[in-house]
Amino acid sequence: MVSLTRHIFEQQCLQPDGTEEFFTIMNRIVSGGKRIARALREAGLTGSLGVTDTKNVHGEQVQYLDARANEFFVEAFQDSGIVQLVVSEEMEEPFPVAAAKGAGKYAVFFDPLDGSSNIDVNAPLGSIFSIHCLDPNGRFLKPGCEQVAAGYLLYGAGTILVYTCGAGVHQFTLDPMAGEFFLSASNVQIPSRGKTYSVNEGNSYKWSKDMNEAVVYFRNDDKATGRPYSLRYTGCLVADVHRVLVKGGLYLYPGEVQKPEGKLRLMYEAAPLSFVVEQAGGLGSTGVERISTIHPKTPHQCVPLIIGSREDVEVVERFLSRE
Ligand code: AFP
C-alpha cells in the first residue's frame, strides 16, 4: 500500500525546483483535512451543528463547522515559513500566516467546507485547495494554468483525497484506524463522455435560452448518443464533480441572465477542480472560455462552471456559442 506521505514525497521531485516545500504544504493540508473529517464524524455528539450569527463575503450564513474547518486550515499554515497567505471563502481578506511580513513564497486558496447545506443532514461535504507560487513582486492572483497543485477532500461514506500537481490525478482513501491516507486510484482518467448531468435545475428559469436548450439536449431521448442522461445532484460541488471524474458526464453551475458570473468561485472552486479534471482528460469551461486561462481580478471572483467529460462539455460550449 502506498501512503499519501510517500506519494507526495515522490511527487515533489517532479516540481520544477524539486523542493521540500511542496511536501510540507501538502502535509499541512492533509492534517487540516483529517481534523475536519473527525469534526464532521463527531458533529452530532459535540453540539457543533447549526449556524453562527455571521455571514461570509458571499452573503451566506456561516455554520459552526464552516468556521471550525476554516480555523483548522489557517492553523495548519500558521508560521509554516513557506506559506505567506491563505485565501478562504470564509475570510473577506487574504490572511497573512507568515511569521514575518512577506516571508514564504506560496499562497494557498481553499474552500474549507464545501456544500454547507449538507451539514445538518449527514450528506457529503468537501474541502477544496489550490496552491500558487507568488511572483517576486508578491502577486498572488494568477490563472489556474499556473497552479502548483490542487485537489479536494471528500467526506462521504469514506474520506478521500484527490490531488494533482500536474502529473496525473491520484486518489487516496483515509484508513481511520491507521490515521493515514493510502493510494486507492492512480492516474485517474475521466471517460470522454458520461451518462449523467448534474445541475440545480430549479434555477433554470434564470438561465439564458441557449443554456436551457443545452440542458434539455441531455434530457432528450436519443439511443445513438446514449441519451437521455440521468440527473444526479447532491448540492456539494466536490461530491458531484467527483462522480463525474470517476464515471464521466458533466456538472454545470451556469451564469444567469441577471447574474452572468454565476455563483461558484474561481480561485477555490472552479480553478482547482478544473485543474484536476483536465489532468484526468476532461474539460473545465465557463461555456465560452477555459477556466484555466482566466486572469483573476479579485480573490472571491465568481465564474460560471461547466466541467466534466470532454465531449459533454463541448456539447454545452456549442450551444452557448451559437449566433
Ligand atoms: P459552500 O458550501 O462552500 O458555500 O458551497 C456550496 C456550493 O457552492 C457548491 O458546493 C454547490 O455545488 C452549490 O453551492 C450548490 O448550490 P445550490 O444550492 O445553489 O444548488
Side-chain angles (χ1 to χ4, degrees), residues 60 89 111 113-116 200 233 237 251 253 263-264:
E60 299 157 345
E89 180 184 4
D111 179 352
L113 203 53
D114 169 65
S116 311
N200 184 342
Y233 193 71
L237 173 66
Y251 174 96
Y253 211 107
K263 173 182 177 183
L264 299 186

Side-chain angles (χ1 to χ4, degrees), residues 31 34 39 96 165 250 273 305:
S31 71
K34 284 184 194 168
C165 57
L250 83 163
L273 295 178
L305 179 65

